[in-house]
Amino acid sequence: MADVDGTYECVVKSPLGDQKTTLTVKSDGGAFTGTNAGAMGSMDVSGTVDGNTLAWKQQMTVPMPMTLDCEATVDGDTLTGTVGAGAFGSFPMTGKRTG
């Protein structure tokens, strides 16, 4: 079982510019819970763990309500993935484990 638990400083390359967030992950078997905090505030997140891949959905309210489809793979202390924003397409996400 890969160790995906930790705190990651992430950057999402969006059309609105770089969006910095802090993602915390606490896995429990095939699931995880945590928080994702950024300029728009903090929200609880939960999703699945498959090996070293995390997948979750999160609700965004600013600048408009939408559901983001997120997937990220942890390799050592590096996180890489994508954030799907429906009709707006998919944006790359990178992160580094800080804790």
Side-chain angles (χ1 to χ4, degrees), residues 5-94:
D5 290 10
T7 302
Y8 301 87
E9 294 298 328
C10 300
V11 176
V12 177
K13 301 278 189 194
S14 85
L16 302 174
D18 289 0
Q19 305 295 313
K20 293 185 163 74
T21 66
T22 302
L23 175 67
T24 60
V25 175
K26 173 103 177 71
S27 63
D28 182 11
F32 82 91
T33 56
T35 57
N36 199 5
M40 309 296 180
S42 179
M43 68 184 67
D44 292 335
V45 293
S46 61
T48 60
V49 179
D50 182 7
N52 61 345
T53 300
L54 306 169
W56 73 97
K57 292 184 187 310
Q58 73 184 55
Q59 302 301 317
M60 187 176 93
T61 55
V62 178
M64 67 194 68
M66 74 171 66
T67 300
L68 302 178
D69 261 318
C70 308
E71 186 171 295
T73 300
V74 177
D75 182 10
D77 287 333
T78 303
L79 177 145
T80 53
T82 56
V83 175
F88 296 99
S90 187
F91 314 122
M93 172 174 51
T94 57

